[in-house]
């Protein structure tokens, strides 16, 4: 079994990705601060220091801009998974790749477990206008993960069950960890909860929790 690291993007691709990241981050930050109805596409563009036309070149609306954060994060997890040592056990490689993207305090520039941040995120992800876009983002993210798992394991994401099943399990672990972290009072840092979720998956999810 061999793995290939992700192709290094060119200068133009890196610039486009930085703009996409800036817009998505601005959308999430403003909506968490002001609420869904309190943010316009113009607000997001201004926060990212670009024109509204540029915003619309990247996203169809603010829902897609918010959901892009999840897709891009999972894409980075998939790229990191491809780059891990080929002889590293799969679930160790998965845990390390996921941990890079859920470092403490990474999101929104807020400390992990910050109640203000958690309350805002709860409101944002409960927004009906965002649900359809988040569902599409989840599907796209799992496809990225399945492709990376297939490459590591010598399977075929189109015809073999294993990579799709594994990607679904990783996605479910991420969603469960985020939800658990946000429901806790006070909110919990996502990283340790996610590590526990992945450890339980790799152990085969015993019938009785330990």
């Amino acid at each position: 079994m061999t793995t290939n690291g992700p192709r290094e993007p060119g200068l133009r691709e890196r610039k486009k990705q930085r703009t996409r990241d800036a817009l998505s981050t601005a959308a999430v930050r403003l909506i968490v601060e002001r609420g869904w109805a309190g943010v316009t596409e113009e607000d997001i563009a201004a926060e990212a220091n670009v024109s509204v036309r540029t915003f619309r070149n990247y996203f169809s609306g603010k829902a897609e801009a918010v959901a892009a954060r999840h897709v891009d994060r999972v894409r980075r997890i998939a790229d990191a998974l491809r780059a891990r040592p080929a002889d590293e056990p799969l679930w160790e490689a998965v845990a390390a790749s996921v941990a890079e993207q859920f470092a403490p305090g990474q999101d929104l520039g807020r400390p992990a477990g910050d109640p203000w941040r958690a309350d805002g995120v709860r409101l944002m992800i409960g927004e009906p206008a965002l649900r359809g876009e988040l569902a599409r983002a989840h599907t796209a993210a799992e496809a990225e993960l399945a492709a990376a798992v297939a490459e590591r394991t010598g399977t075929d994401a189109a015809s073999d069950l294993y990579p799709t099943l594994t990607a679904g399990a990783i996605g479910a672990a991420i969603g469960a960890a985020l939800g658990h972290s946000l429901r806790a009072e006070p909110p919990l840092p996502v990283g340790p909860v996610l590590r526990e979720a992945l450890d339980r998956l790799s152990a085969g999810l015993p019938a009785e929790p330990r």
Side-chain angles (χ1 to χ4, degrees), residues 86-113:
D87 59 352
E88 185 175 34
L90 176 63
W91 285 103
E92 290 182 19
V94 167
S97 301
V98 171
E100 291 177 16
Q101 299 304 320
F102 287 90
Q106 178 174 293
D107 280 348
L108 312 182
R110 293 299 234 180

Side-chain angles (χ1 to χ4, degrees), residues 14 19 22 43 68 72 89 109 119 121 125 130 133 149 156 175 191-192 194 206:
R14 292 198 301 271
T19 301
D43 294 332
D72 290 349
D119 287 345
V121 172
I125 62 178
L130 190 53
E133 201 63 57
V149 170
D156 187 332
L194 188 48

Side-chain angles (χ1 to χ4, degrees), residues 35-55:
W36 181 264
V39 177
T40 65
E41 293 177 8
E42 289 78 7
D43 294 332
I44 296 167
E47 180 76 5
N49 199 31
V50 300
S51 67
V52 177
R53 181 178 179 180
T54 296
F55 174 89

Side-chain angles (χ1 to χ4, degrees), residues 1-209:
M1 178 187 64
T2 60
T3 60
N4 297 313
R7 179 182 65 83
E8 285 296 320
L11 178 60
R12 185 180 181 193
E13 289 175 292
R14 292 198 301 271
K15 285 183 175 179
K16 289 179 69 174
Q17 188 60 51
R18 283 196 295 269
T19 301
R20 177 181 166 92
D21 289 346
L23 286 164
S24 184
T25 299
V28 173
R29 181 183 297 115
L30 291 176
I31 291 166
V32 166
E33 289 176 351
R34 304 179 188 175
W36 181 264
V39 177
T40 65
E41 293 177 8
E42 289 78 7
D43 294 332
I44 296 167
E47 180 76 5
N49 199 31
V50 300
S51 67
V52 177
R53 181 178 179 180
T54 296
F55 174 89
R56 291 172 180 160
N57 285 338
Y58 283 84
F59 301 115
S60 61
K62 57 186 181 181
E64 187 180 3
V66 169
R69 191 166 182 84
H70 176 63
V71 175
D72 290 349
R73 174 158 33 201
V74 175
R75 185 175 292 121
R76 289 191 295 269
I77 292 171
D79 286 344
L81 184 58
R82 292 184 178 98
R84 300 295 300 179
D87 59 352
E88 185 175 34
L90 176 63
W91 285 103
E92 290 182 19
V94 167
S97 301
V98 171
E100 291 177 16
Q101 299 304 320
F102 287 90
Q106 178 174 293
D107 280 348
L108 312 182
R110 293 299 234 180
D114 185 316
W116 175 94
R117 173 176 171 268
D119 287 345
V121 172
R122 286 188 196 111
L123 289 171
M124 181 180 68
I125 62 178
E127 171 58 44
L130 190 53
R131 289 175 186 163
E133 201 63 57
L134 285 174
R136 284 188 286 273
H138 182 72
T139 299
E142 286 201 0
E144 293 277 354
L145 277 176
V149 170
E151 289 177 29
R152 276 197 74 88
T153 57
T155 54
D156 187 332
S159 59
D160 294 324
L161 176 62
Y162 185 81
T164 304
L165 180 63
T166 302
I170 296 168
I174 292 172
L178 288 169
H180 183 76
S181 298
L182 288 171
R183 287 191 300 271
E185 292 294 348
L188 298 170
V190 175
V193 178
L194 188 48
R195 179 69 208 214
E196 179 185 350
L198 292 172
D199 285 348
R200 288 177 179 270
L201 277 179
S202 66
L205 275 182
E208 295 294 330

